[in-house]
Amino acid sequence: MRKGFVCTLFVSALLAHAADPPWIALWPNGAPGSEGKTGEETVRTTPQGEHVIANVHRPSIAIFLPSKEIASGAAVVIALGGGHSELWADHEGLNVARWLADRGVAGVVLKYRLAREKGSSYKIEGESLADMQRAVRLVRSRGAEGDIDPDRIGVMGFSAGGEIAALAATRFDAGPPDAVDPINRLSSRPAFQALIYPALPRDMKLSKETPPAFLACGENDRPDISQGLPELYLALKKAGAIAELHVYTGVGHGFGVRSTTKGAVAGWPARFLEFLDARKLRQQN
């Protein structure tokens, strides 16, 4: 674990800027699989001033909406990285959501349950994936409130969060029409996926129906990412899916969105918007 100051505070208050939206519980009455878990979320601040969350038992989202004047109808649910043991909230979440909202795309930051935190009973393909699927459904249910097109909601993930996003893009369903919870009746299929230096699931069922994929990593990342992501690109193309790949020279893991990032890799968010535009996923309402 990277060292920093640890405190058990009301996480949303510590992370929020004055104009940031509130955190919304994915399941207001408690998340399935978290029964009996009452511990508070924790957040530590690194020496660089970044915030790292842990002990998530009440998964939630914060929806950063663009102004009505620039709203494009597109939205992205963002899964933070952190090795499935913690969540790096700033450069892989809040900074990304604010940047997107300033350019017409709703950024939805997801705090999901952590499968590899010490003592955790959660599973990556169980509760963590369920949190992402529920987030997509919840945003779809609230779309009209924020000028979000329910057919243009995608997923994005960084590092471990990239694994969650990749799973959500390959294991979706239309939503059972007889579900007691009306939100669960909605589709969990994302319209697109953005995997940024992702950990990759072992078994990805790809087809021409797989949502269009934007893939990005650094050439100096560990081999399972710097070599695995190009392999995924080729597999997607072979399956007949849409995919776009960016590998940045001289770059390693964890670049995200930071004001200190320089060079070509700092432009990856702009390349992502071009990816959306090329597929008419970002259009002025």
Side-chain angles (χ1 to χ4, degrees):
M1 177 181 288
R2 284 173 256 189
K3 294 181 180 179
F5 176 64
V6 181
C7 51
T8 54
L9 298 175
F10 186 49
V11 176
S12 59
L14 181 61
L15 298 178
H17 290 190
D20 280 357
W23 291 92
I24 302 166
L26 295 182
W27 287 275
N29 297 321
S34 289
E35 294 85 358
K37 299 180 186 295
T38 59
E40 294 295 323
E41 288 180 10
T42 65
V43 59
R44 63 186 176 89
T45 305
T46 71
Q48 294 75 33
E50 297 200 0
H51 303 97
V52 186
I53 302 166
N55 205 43
V56 176
H57 301 302
R58 190 176 172 83
S60 59
I61 55 173
I63 306 175
F64 290 73
L65 292 171
S67 66
K68 288 188 175 292
E69 293 73 23
I70 64 170
S72 68
V76 187
V77 180
I78 305 164
L80 312 170
H84 297 295
S85 62
E86 57 189 11
L87 301 172
W88 283 69
D90 297 292
H91 74 294
E92 293 176 347
L94 299 172
N95 294 352
V96 182
R98 295 180 189 120
W99 190 94
L100 289 170
D102 286 345
R103 290 154 181 85
V105 177
V108 183
V109 181
L110 168 66
K111 291 191 290 187
Y112 58 91
R113 288 170 287 180
L114 298 163
R116 292 180 182 158
E117 190 172 14
K118 185 177 180 180
S120 176
S121 63
Y122 302 131
K123 304 296 182 185
I124 295 169
E125 298 181 18
E127 289 79 10
S128 301
L129 173 58
D131 293 346
M132 174 62 96
Q133 292 169 329
R134 175 71 175 191
V136 171
R137 297 188 212 271
L138 181 57
V139 174
R140 188 158 275 138
S141 76
R142 299 168 65 102
E145 301 173 25
D147 293 324
I148 295 172
D149 184 338
D151 293 326
R152 287 190 276 150
I153 300 169
V155 295
M156 174 183 288
F158 296 81
S159 193
E163 183 173 8
I164 303 301
L167 286 168
T170 52
R171 302 188 188 182
F172 48 82
D173 63 68
D178 58 347
V180 175
D181 185 339
I183 292 174
N184 286 344
R185 298 173 199 159
L186 301 175
S187 171
S188 65
R189 185 187 189 278
F192 56 88
Q193 57 181 312
L195 310 182
I196 316 301
Y197 47 87
L200 293 172
R202 291 197 181 105
D203 181 23
M204 295 182 68
K205 294 178 172 57
L206 307 176
S207 74
K208 64 180 181 179
E209 304 303 324
T210 300
F214 177 90
L215 312 174
C217 69
E219 68 164 346
N220 293 341
D221 211 326
R222 60 182 194 256
D224 62 304
I225 295 175
S226 61
Q227 297 174 28
L229 209 57
E231 290 172 359
L232 175 59
Y233 168 79
L234 293 174
L236 284 161
K237 298 301 287 185
K238 184 176 180 180
I242 295 169
E244 178 175 313
L245 173 65
H246 299 265
V247 180
Y248 290 96
T249 302
V251 174
H253 195 73
F255 46 82
V257 170
R258 289 186 173 104
S259 60
T260 55
T261 301
K262 306 300 180 185
V265 71
W268 78 261
R271 305 291 80 76
F272 169 64
L273 292 187
E274 292 167 358
F275 166 84
L276 295 183
D277 291 343
R279 286 145 192 90
K280 296 181 170 43
L281 289 164
R282 186 176 67 129
Q283 303 177 45
Q284 208 73 25
N285 286 343

